[in-house]
C-alpha cells in the first residue's frame, strides 16, 4: 500500500483525523489469547453432543449398522415426505439418498430452484467443522454443497465424522478463511422476540439433528 | 424505522408520559439477558483478559483505520464485490437507490441493521416506491405497528402477545391466538413469501474482515441468511468502524459479542460471506455491493477520547445494566440507538444542539463501562459531552481542566494516606474558623462558593476516628 489507490473523501477524512499520510507503516496488532486446547477424541465428542443438546438440537452417535433405523425414526417423527441431500463423498458413500428413497421419501436435487427447496421437509448436509465447546457446526459451500439446503427445509440433518472436530474458532477460521462462504450453526433457528418466549424455527429450520459417526466408512 | 431527528430530542418530556408497561417489559428483557450473560462470563476464567484484548484490538484498528479500510476495499474488490463510499446517509441512500433502480428491483427483504436505521434507508426506499420488508420477527412486528425499536436485541419487547395478535388481525387479516409460537408461525409463513420473492436483499454487517474482504453477520432467526442467500442481489451497508484486521481478531470479538449480547456462546447463525457466489447451484447472490459509510465517524476519530466510542460492537450489554434505560426503554433516546451508548453516540453524530439532554440521561453509576466487552469509557464520554452541551461542540478538552484534575489527584493522595488524612482532620477545625458562623458555613470564597450558592455547609466538627473508638468502648 505505497500509493493511494482509493482516492475518496471518506479515506481522506479518516487520514486527516488520524494525522497519517497514506501508506504509513502498520504496526502489528495486540497479541491474542491462545485458543482452547482439545481434549481426547471421546471427550470432545461427548462435549459436542452435550452442548448441541443444550441449544435444543437432537444428537445421536451412529454406525452404518443402525443408520437405517435412525433414518426411519426421523422420517416418521418429523413426517418427512420430500428431502434433499448434499452430494459429498461421505454422504454418497453412506448412500443417504438411496436409503431415504427406500423409506418412500421423494428426493429433490440440492441445487434445485429456491421455491422447490422451500417445499422440502428435510435437508441433509455434512459438517466440515464442529466446535465441541459451543456445540457449533461449520459448513462451507460449493456446487455439491448448496447453501440453502441447511436453511430452507423445515428439518436440518447434519452428519459428521470425528475428522471434523476442531478445538476452537481459531482453527476453523485458519482453514475456512479462503473459502467464499462459511456458516456457523449453533442449534436450530430461534427467537425470543414475542414476550421473550423462546420459539424455535422462526425462519430457518425448526429442528436440527446432528449424527456423528464414530468410525467412518465401516 | 426512525428518521434522523432534526429538532431537539426531548428525553425528559418523553419520560414524563411513560406507560408503566414499558419499564416492566424492558426490565424482564434486560434482567434475562444480563443473567445469561453473567452465566456465560462466569464459565470463562479468561474473560477479563479477553475484554482487554478486545479493547486493545478495537483501538488499534481505529488508530490505523485508514490502512485497514484501504486493505478491506482492496480485498473486497479482489473477491468480486463492488465497493461504494458514502460520506453521509444521503450519499449512502442514493447509492442503494441507484443499485435498486439499475436492477429493476421491486421487492426488497431486509435484515435488521443499525447502520441502515441510522441513515433511515427504509424511508428513502419507500419514498422511491420500493416495497421493503423488515424480516427480523421483532422488527417485522414494529414495522407493522409503525413504531421504532425499544431494545437493540428484542425491538418489540414492549408489546404484549395480545397486542401483537390484534396487530396481525388488523394488518395481515389473519385470526391469531395470543400465543407466541402460533404468532411466530404466522410471521414465518408470511415472511417466507417475502424471502422467496425478493429481488434484492439488504443487510448491515457486524464485522468486515480487512484481510479477506469478508462480511460477517450474526443472527439467531435465520432471516439474515435468507436475505443474503436467496436474492440475486445483495447490498450491505457497513459503517467504517466495523473493520477488523484479520480472522484471528475476529474470533476474539465474536466470543465477546455473543456472550455479551444474549448470553450465548455463539449466536445461532454466524455468516461469513466473501464475494458473490462462484457457481449458480451453490446459491447466494450473483452480485454483491458494499457501501462503506462514514456519517460523522471520521470526525470522531480525531480526538483520542471520542475515538473510543467507535470501539463499540453493538452488543447492547450497557443497556441491560443501565438504571436509567431500564426505567424508560429505547424510545426516550429519540434515535436508532439507546441506553448509555446511545447517550454518547447520538450527541456526537447529531451535535449537542439536537441531543443536549442525552448526556444527562445517566446517573454516572458506571455499570455500563464495567460490562462493556471492549471497555468503551462511557463515563468519561458522558462527562466530556456534558461539557460540550455547556460549552459548545467545538470543545475538545477531554473532561476537566488540569487544575481540577490536580485537585482531584491531590485529594486522592490525601484520602489514601492515613497520616495525611489524620493531619487534615486535625487542621480542618482550625481552617474553617474564618468562614464558620455558629453551626453553619453560609458561604465559601471563590471558587468554592459554587457549592455554598445552593445551600450552606455543615462545619467540620468531630474527629471520626476518636468518635469510633469511643463508640466501640460504649458497646
Amino acid at each position: 500500500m505505497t500509493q493511494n489507490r482509493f482516492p475518496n473523501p471518506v479515506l481522506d477524512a479518516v487520514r486527516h483525523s488520524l494525522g497519517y499520510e497514506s501508506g504509513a507503516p502498520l504496526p502489528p496488532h495486540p497479541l491474542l489469547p491462545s485458543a482452547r486446547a482439545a481434549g481426547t477424541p471421546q471427550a470432545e465428542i461427548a462435549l459436542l453432543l452435550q452442548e448441541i443438546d443444550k441449544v435444543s438440537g437432537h444428537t445421536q452417535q451412529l454406525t452404518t449398522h443402525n443408520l437405517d433405523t435412525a433414518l426411519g425414526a426421523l422420517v416418521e417423527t418429523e413426517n418427512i415426505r420430500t428431502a434433499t441431500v448434499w452430494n459429498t463423498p461421505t454422504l454418497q458413500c453412506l448412500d443417504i439418498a438411496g436409503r431415504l428413497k427406500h423409506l418412500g421419501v421423494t428426493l429433490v436435487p440440492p441445487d434445485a430452484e429456491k421455491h422447490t427447496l422451500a417445499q422440502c421437509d428435510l435437508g441433509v448436509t455434512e459438517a466440515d467443522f464442529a466446535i465441541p465447546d459451543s456445540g457449533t457446526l461449520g459448513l462451507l459451500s460449493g456446487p455439491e454443497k448448496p447453501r440453502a439446503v441447511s436453511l430452507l427445509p423445515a428439518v436440518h440433518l447434519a452428519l459428521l465424522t470425528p475428522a471434523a472436530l476442531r478445538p476452537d474458532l481459531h482453527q476453523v477460521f485458519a482453514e475456512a478463511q479462503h473459502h467464499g462462504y462459511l456458516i456457523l450453526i449453533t442449534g436450530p433457528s430461534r427467537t425470543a422476540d414475542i414476550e421473550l418466549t423462546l420459539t424455535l424455527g422462526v425462519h430457518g429450520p425448526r429442528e436440527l439433528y446432528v449424527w456423528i459417526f464414530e468410525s467412518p466408512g465401516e | 424505522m426512525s428518521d434522523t431527528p432534526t429538532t431537539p430530542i426531548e428525553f425528559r418530556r418523553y419520560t414524563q408520559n411513560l406507560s408503566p408497561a414499558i419499564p416492566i417489559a424492558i426490565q424482564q428483557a434486560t434482567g434475562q439477558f444480563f443473567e445469561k450473560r453473567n452465566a456465560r462470563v462466569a464459565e470463562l476464567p479468561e474473560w477479563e483478559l479477553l475484554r482487554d484484548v478486545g479493547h486493545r484490538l478495537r483501538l488499534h484498528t481505529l488508530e490505523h483505520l485508514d490502512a485497514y479500510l484501504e486493505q478491506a476495499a482492496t480485498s473486497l474488490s479482489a473477491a468480486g464485490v463492488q465497493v461504494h463510499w458514502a460520506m453521509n446517509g444521503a450519499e449512502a441512500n442514493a447509492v442503494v437507490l441507484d443499485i435498486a433502480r439499475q436492477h429493476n428491483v421491486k421487492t426488497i427483504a431486509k435484515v435488521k441493521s443499525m447502520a441502515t436505521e441510522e441513515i433511515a434507508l427504509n424511508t428513502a426506499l419507500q419514498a422511491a416506491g420500493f416495497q421493503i420488508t423488515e424480516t427480523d420477527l421483532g422488527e417485522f412486528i414494529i414495522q407493522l405497528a409503525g413504531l421504532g425499536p425499544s431494545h437493540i436485541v428484542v425491538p418489540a419487547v414492549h408489546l404484549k402477545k395480545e397486542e401483537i395478535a390484534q396487530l396481525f388481525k388488523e394488518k395481515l387479516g389473519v385470526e391469531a391466538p395470543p400465543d407466541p409460537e402460533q404468532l411466530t408461525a404466522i410471521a414465518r409463513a408470511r415472511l417466507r413469501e417475502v424471502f422467496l420473492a425478493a429481488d434484492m436483499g439488504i443487510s448491515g454487517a457486524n464485522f468486515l474482515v480487512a484481510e479477506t474482504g469478508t462480511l460477517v453477520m450474526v443472527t439467531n432467526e435465520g432471516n439474515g441468511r435468507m436475505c443474503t442467500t436467496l436474492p440475486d442481489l445483495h447490498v450491505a451497508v457497513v459503517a467504517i468502524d466495523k473493520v477488523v484486521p484479520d480472522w484471528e481478531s475476529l474470533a476474539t470479538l465474536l466470543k465477546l459479542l455473543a456472550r455479551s449480547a444474549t448470553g450465548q456462546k455463539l449466536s445461532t447463525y454466524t455468516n461469513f460471506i466473501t464475494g458473490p457466489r462462484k457457481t449458480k447451484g451453490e446459491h447466494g447472490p450473483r452480485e454483491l455491493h458494499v457501501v462503506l459509510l462514514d456519517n460523522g465517524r471520521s470526525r470522531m476519530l480525531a480526538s483520542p477520547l471520542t475515538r473510543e466510542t467507535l470501539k463499540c460492537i453493538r452488543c447492547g450489554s450497557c443497556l441491560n445494566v443501565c438504571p436509567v434505560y431500564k426505567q424508560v426503554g429505547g424510545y426516550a433516546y429519540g434515535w436508532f440507538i439507546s441506553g448509555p451508548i446511545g447517550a454518547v453516540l447520538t450527541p456526537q453524530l447529531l451535535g449537542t444542539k439536537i441531543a443536549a439532554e442525552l448526556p444527562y440521561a445517566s446517573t454516572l453509576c458506571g455499570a455500563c463501562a464495567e460490562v462493556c466487552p471492549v471497555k468503551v469509557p462511557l463515563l468519561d464520554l458522558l462527562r466530556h459531552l456534558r461539557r460540550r452541551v455547556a460549552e459548545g461542540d467545538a470543545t475538545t478538552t477531554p473532561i476537566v481542566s488540569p487544575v481540577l484534575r490536580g485537585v482531584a489527584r491531590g485529594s486522592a493522595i490525601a484520602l489514601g494516606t492515613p497520616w495525611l488524612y489524620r493531619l487534615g482532620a486535625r487542621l480542618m477545625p482550625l481552617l474553617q474558623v474564618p468562614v464558620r458562623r455558629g453551626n453553619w458555613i453560609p458561604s465559601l470564597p471563590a471558587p468554592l462558593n459554587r457549592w455554598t450558592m445552593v445551600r450552606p455547609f455543615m462545619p467540620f466538627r468531630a474527629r471520626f476516628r476518636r468518635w469510633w473508638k469511643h463508640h466501640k468502648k460504649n458497646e
Side-chain angles (χ1 to χ4, degrees):
Chain A
M1 274 182 280
T2 48
Q3 63 186 49
N4 189 349
R5 290 204 283 139
F6 296 93
N8 70 65
V10 176
L11 269 182
D12 289 345
V14 169
R15 285 200 189 103
H16 177 78
S17 280
L18 292 172
Y20 287 129
E21 293 296 314
S22 172
L26 195 57
H29 66 62
L31 280 179
L32 300 165
S34 54
R36 170 183 169 272
T40 64
Q42 288 80 5
E44 292 287 276
I45 291 174
L47 181 61
L48 176 72
L49 301 186
Q50 177 198 322
E51 288 296 320
I52 293 176
D53 287 334
K54 269 194 211 163
V55 289
S56 318
H58 309 282
T59 57
Q60 220 171 318
Q61 271 179 282
L62 286 181
T63 62
T64 38
H65 305 299
N66 48 20
L67 180 56
D68 274 322
T69 328
L71 277 172
L74 174 70
V75 165
E76 199 177 313
T77 329
E78 300 292 346
N79 197 15
I80 307 294
R81 294 210 175 83
T82 51
T84 182
V85 185
W86 269 8
N87 287 321
T88 63
T90 312
L91 295 182
Q92 281 172 341
C93 173
L94 289 169
D95 193 26
I96 300 291
R99 290 172 201 256
L100 281 170
K101 221 178 266 172
H102 195 70
L103 288 162
V105 175
T106 313
L107 280 149
V108 170
D111 57 354
E113 208 259 335
K114 57 189 173 188
H115 291 88
T116 315
L117 287 179
Q119 299 305 316
C120 276
D121 305 307
L122 174 70
V124 186
T125 65
E126 181 196 343
D128 294 285
F129 310 105
I131 309 170
D133 182 44
S134 54
T136 301
L137 305 177
L139 277 63
L140 299 168
S141 91
E144 329 72 44
K145 303 156 78 170
R147 300 172 195 180
V149 172
S150 63
L151 179 64
L152 285 171
V155 178
H156 175 204
L157 166 63
L159 278 74
L160 69 127
T161 63
L165 292 170
R166 300 291 181 280
D168 205 333
L169 271 183
H170 297 274
Q171 289 84 354
V172 174
F173 285 176
E175 290 173 56
Q177 61 179 282
H178 297 296
H179 290 261
Y181 183 83
L182 168 71
I183 175 77
L184 293 182
I185 300 177
T186 310
S189 158
R190 65 186 56 223
T191 187
D193 271 350
I194 301 179
E195 293 197 359
L196 300 170
T197 311
L198 176 68
T199 311
L200 297 181
V202 53
H203 292 308
R206 75 188 140 69
E207 303 290 348
L208 171 68
Y209 287 81
V210 180
W211 294 351
I212 184 160
F213 285 84
E214 272 179 283
S215 351
E218 242 178 40
Chain B
M1 270 211 337
S2 46
D3 288 354
T4 312
T6 49
T7 52
I9 294 167
E10 296 179 281
F11 185 88
R12 286 192 187 86
R13 198 176 64 84
Y14 172 83
T15 57
Q16 279 153 15
N17 320 309
L18 197 66
S19 135
I22 297 220
I24 292 171
I26 294 287
Q27 280 165 38
Q28 258 170 11
T30 54
Q32 215 178 79
F33 285 135
F34 189 52
E35 215 171 279
K36 282 196 203 155
R37 174 234 175 238
N38 289 346
R40 288 293 89 72
V41 167
E43 289 166 355
L44 226 58
E46 70 273 28
W47 178 254
E48 283 306 317
L49 172 70
L50 215 54
R51 263 184 94 211
D52 192 54
V53 170
H55 146 74
R56 286 189 289 139
L57 198 61
R58 291 291 292 145
L59 202 58
H60 163 85
T61 314
L62 293 167
E63 280 165 359
H64 302 281
L65 193 60
D66 58 327
Y68 285 121
L69 272 173
E70 207 171 324
Q71 191 188 5
T74 311
S75 317
L76 281 166
S77 306
V81 178
Q82 298 184 44
V83 182
H84 310 263
W85 300 82
M87 264 323 267
N88 52 43
E91 281 184 26
N93 288 343
V95 168
V96 181
L97 274 173
D98 255 9
I99 298 170
R101 287 201 186 105
Q102 274 165 22
H103 290 80
N104 214 359
V105 164
K106 284 180 192 63
T107 59
I108 303 170
K110 186 165 167 295
V111 200
K112 175 166 81 173
S113 125
M114 304 294 275
T116 55
E117 287 290 319
E118 176 184 330
I119 61 174
L121 176 63
N122 289 12
T123 313
L125 285 165
Q126 272 163 351
F130 294 102
Q131 204 190 329
I132 179 161
T133 312
E134 284 291 348
T135 57
D136 171 86
L137 178 61
E139 289 283 339
F140 175 69
I141 294 169
I142 60 171
Q143 193 187 26
L144 282 183
L147 298 169
S150 62
H151 188 279
I152 195 168
V153 178
V154 280
V157 71
H158 55 297
L159 294 176
K160 297 268 134 216
K161 50 184 184 284
E162 289 79 14
E163 294 172 271
I164 297 168
Q166 185 61 29
L167 190 69
F168 277 17
K169 195 177 157 185
E170 280 166 25
K171 300 281 165 105
L172 302 177
V174 286
E175 206 60 55
D179 168 65
E181 204 155 308
Q182 296 193 44
L183 289 168
T184 303
I186 292 170
R188 176 187 168 107
R190 191 54 68 110
L191 287 165
R192 263 299 157 104
E193 292 166 23
V194 173
F195 291 132
L196 291 171
D199 320 298
M200 177 178 180
I202 297 183
S203 74
N206 293 87
F207 301 105
L208 167 59
V209 188
E211 193 182 23
T212 51
T214 304
L215 292 166
V216 184
M217 262 162 279
V218 168
T219 73
N220 277 316
E221 298 184 357
N223 59 321
R225 291 186 70 190
M226 296 278 184
C227 294
T228 60
T229 305
L230 302 180
D232 267 343
L233 175 63
H234 171 201
V235 178
V237 180
V238 185
I240 54 172
D241 53 324
K242 295 288 167 195
V243 175
V244 298
D246 48 30
W247 287 68
E248 273 292 296
S249 334
L250 180 67
T252 300
L253 292 172
L254 281 173
K255 288 179 188 176
L256 286 165
L257 176 62
R259 286 181 171 86
S260 299
T262 48
Q264 291 168 288
K265 286 183 176 173
L266 271 180
S267 304
T268 306
Y269 299 117
T270 311
N271 299 285
F272 307 80
I273 301 169
T274 316
R277 72 182 178 219
K278 298 192 173 56
T279 58
K280 189 170 190 302
E282 179 181 10
H283 303 133
R286 196 179 60 219
E287 204 175 306
L288 179 52
H289 294 256
V290 169
V291 184
L292 291 166
L293 173 74
D294 181 332
N295 212 25
R297 287 169 175 78
S298 56
R299 210 177 49 230
M300 291 165 67
L301 284 172
S303 134
L305 177 63
T306 56
R307 184 185 299 159
E308 300 239 1
T309 318
L310 299 174
K311 290 191 304 187
C312 173
I313 54 171
R314 305 282 191 271
C315 70
S317 59
C318 62
L319 280 67
N320 295 336
V321 296
C322 177
V324 176
Y325 173 81
K326 286 197 276 189
Q327 290 303 323
V328 300
Y331 291 149
Y333 295 81
W335 204 22
F336 74 100
I337 187 157
S338 56
I341 185 66
V344 304
L345 187 61
T346 303
Q348 293 185 66
L349 292 180
L350 299 180
T352 51
K353 288 264 184 309
I354 301 269
E357 294 191 7
L358 293 187
Y360 296 92
S362 165
T363 63
L364 298 183
C365 75
C368 50
E370 227 161 83
V371 295
C372 178
V374 290
K375 298 189 178 176
V376 174
L378 289 151
L379 287 187
D380 290 350
L381 285 159
L382 284 164
R383 284 193 293 253
H384 163 70
L385 289 163
R386 287 180 181 191
R387 197 179 161 116
R388 271 207 209 171
V389 172
E391 298 176 5
D393 279 330
T395 310
T396 52
T397 338
I399 315 152
V400 291
S401 66
V403 178
L404 263 179
R405 198 186 289 273
V407 171
R409 202 160 294 159
S411 341
I413 293 170
L415 293 171
T417 319
W419 70 266
L420 258 179
Y421 176 85
R422 246 171 278 156
L423 181 71
R426 298 216 170 185
L427 283 175
M428 271 311 253
L430 299 174
L431 286 172
Q432 69 189 358
V433 168
V435 287
R436 182 170 175 173
R437 302 284 177 269
N439 278 336
W440 296 101
I441 298 174
S443 65
L444 285 167
L448 302 173
N449 62 350
R450 288 207 171 192
W451 277 306
T452 48
M453 272 152 88
V454 188
R455 58 172 181 202
F457 265 28
M458 298 279 277
F460 193 88
R461 259 183 251 254
R463 268 163 286 176
F464 178 74
R465 283 165 180 272
R466 202 163 68 183
W467 173 84
W468 183 248
K469 249 187 227 160
H470 189 67
H471 169 81
K472 266 185 144 174
K473 230 180 270 167
N474 283 0
E475 247 176 16

